[in-house]
Amino acid sequence: MSFNNIIVKLSESGERIDTFLAKKTGITRSQIQKLIKIGNILVNERSASQNLKVRVGDEIAITMPHEEPEGLVPEPKTLDILYEDDHLIVINKAAGMIVYPGAGHSHGTLMNALAYHRRKLATVGSPLRPGVVHRLDKDTSGIMVVALSDEAYYKLVEQFRHRTINRRYIVLVHGNLEKDHGEITSIIGRSKYDRKKMSTRVKIGKEAVTRWKVIRRFNIATLLEARLGTGRTHQIRVHFASIGHPVLGDRIYGKKIEVEAKVNGKRVVKIKFPRQMLHAETLGFTHPINGLYIEYTSPMPEDMKEKILELRELTEEER
């Protein structure tokens, strides 16, 4: 639920924001103060402060957090399982599948399907995501590992923490990068303007490192390999958007869901991207119980192949 476009009138100017909103919405002052604290109240598109006094013409937006479902409901959905034993399972996640239940999507997730497939899951982690040591965004395809035993969970968490996991992504970005390889280093934190987004333009955040190299260049896009030195939320998407080369199809960072190019200076060709062109191709790690290194690779999905073919044909036609 949200309350948008609440406009302060002249007669209301000077009131404390919690008092003003309590009158306007019926939400209690204590609830409003909690919403301010977590950044869910914006005044003129900026996070509100607790002692703010509203002014005439201020535009206020409130986002009410959704209540999460209480338990994980098993659901018979198909999973592409690459490996499983009593301690862990490696899954090739399809684009469009959410990893675990949360606000606005209590069903149909990878964890709902896994709860049906494996009746016994790890007992550690959130009740809605037991055994989840990392995740992929909804529209990112590729390989994930989920712990099925508590011992595996703790040992996999340590590997992620010490950055010994091998993660290789294939990503299609807008435009052409000047160099053939490079490294993006910054801090990443929650955006103060939109609490659902991450940003490099923050005062407080965590170190993030993404290493990349060019696989193939097209006239309006570049196919890259990206390797994570860290695992921050939306890291690859945020990093490439921050250097002016957003992931194609990303509706949040860069919004390059359609690109167009002129062929020989005349005909305009448009290419649309149904989702963010990001694929977790390789995941390698030490098995937490037997100590053996295991690695799995997922082929590029068909929707990415199709878009690369369109870009290749466009580039060759331009020549």
Side-chain angles (χ1 to χ4, degrees):
M1 182 192 299
S2 61
F3 296 86
N4 295 318
N5 304 115
I6 300 172
I7 307 297
V8 179
K9 299 176 183 177
L10 179 61
S11 60
E12 300 162 328
S13 183
E15 288 190 51
R16 273 181 57 106
I17 188 168
D18 52 355
T19 303
F20 167 76
L21 289 176
K23 293 177 183 176
K24 281 285 187 181
T25 64
I27 303 171
T28 65
R29 284 181 60 190
S30 61
Q31 285 179 301
I32 289 167
Q33 289 164 1
K34 289 178 182 177
L35 291 171
I36 290 173
K37 192 173 182 178
I38 63 175
N40 279 31
I41 295 182
L42 302 181
V43 178
N44 302 323
E45 299 185 344
R46 292 177 176 268
S47 296
S49 61
Q50 293 283 0
N51 58 357
L52 176 74
K53 291 186 178 181
V54 298
R55 297 181 180 182
V56 61
D58 280 347
E59 184 174 337
I60 303 173
I62 306 172
T63 300
M64 299 294 291
H66 295 270
E67 291 187 4
E68 291 192 350
E70 293 182 359
L72 193 59
V73 179
E75 295 177 7
K77 292 178 68 67
T78 301
L79 292 173
D80 184 3
I81 298 170
L82 305 182
Y83 172 84
E84 67 177 308
D85 59 25
D86 291 338
H87 299 282
L88 60 87
I89 186 166
V90 179
I91 297 169
N92 184 25
K93 187 187 85 69
M97 176 176 269
I98 296 170
V99 172
Y100 48 76
H105 47 263
S106 60
H107 301 284
T109 73
L110 183 149
M111 288 306 298
N112 291 121
L114 187 54
Y116 182 87
H117 176 72
R118 297 290 297 234
R119 297 295 181 177
K120 186 178 180 181
L121 302 175
T123 63
V124 286
S126 161
L128 296 177
R129 44 184 185 272
V132 174
V133 293
H134 73 126
R135 72 177 183 88
L136 298 177
D137 298 330
K138 174 186 175 183
D139 286 333
T140 298
S141 56
I143 299 182
M144 279 188 60
V145 60
V146 179
L148 298 176
S149 69
D150 293 0
E151 184 181 2
Y153 175 86
Y154 289 119
K155 290 183 177 179
L156 284 171
V157 166
E158 282 299 301
Q159 290 188 53
F160 277 97
R161 181 177 294 130
H162 290 96
R163 305 175 186 177
T164 58
I165 303 286
N166 177 27
R167 286 179 286 177
R168 180 178 188 264
Y169 289 76
I170 301 299
V171 54
L172 194 57
V173 301
H174 184 256
N176 264 285
L177 288 85
E178 292 183 7
K179 299 179 180 180
D180 291 332
H181 57 85
E183 179 177 294
I184 307 171
T185 303
S186 70
I187 61 169
I188 289 179
R190 191 72 58 181
S191 169
K192 67 178 182 179
Y193 303 111
D194 184 342
R195 303 304 291 176
K196 294 180 180 179
K197 293 176 64 175
M198 308 303 287
S199 175
T200 58
R201 297 180 179 180
V202 291
K203 292 182 179 179
I204 299 174
K206 293 182 178 180
E207 175 198 19
V209 179
T210 303
R211 300 176 183 90
W212 58 269
K213 69 177 182 180
V214 172
I215 297 175
R216 183 162 187 168
R217 296 180 184 275
F218 306 101
N219 59 353
I220 54 174
T222 309
L223 183 65
L224 304 171
E225 169 194 295
R227 292 185 180 270
L228 296 181
T230 54
R232 309 305 176 203
T233 301
H234 301 170
Q235 179 174 315
I236 291 175
R237 298 162 62 194
V238 172
H239 263 170
F240 283 106
S242 74
I243 63 170
H245 296 282
V247 178
L248 286 167
D250 192 333
R251 285 166 164 73
I252 297 178
Y253 304 101
K255 300 181 180 179
K256 292 292 183 181
I257 59 175
E258 181 180 276
V259 294
E260 59 180 47
K262 287 186 177 181
V263 179
N264 299 321
K266 298 177 182 179
R267 183 168 63 90
V268 175
V269 175
K270 294 183 179 180
I271 300 177
K272 293 183 178 181
F273 298 89
R275 62 150 176 124
Q276 61 211 27
M277 297 286 99
L278 181 58
H279 177 62
E281 183 201 53
T282 300
L283 182 68
F285 56 92
T286 300
H287 193 289
I289 307 303
N290 63 32
L292 298 176
Y293 179 78
I294 57 176
E295 183 175 287
Y296 287 88
T297 298
S298 166
M300 186 184 296
E302 289 302 318
D303 61 349
M304 283 189 72
K305 287 181 181 178
E306 290 172 5
K307 296 306 166 183
I308 288 170
L309 180 60
E310 289 182 50
L311 287 165
R312 188 178 71 189
E313 291 175 345
L314 181 63
T315 303
E316 290 173 352
E317 191 174 348
E318 178 66 18
R319 291 172 183 168

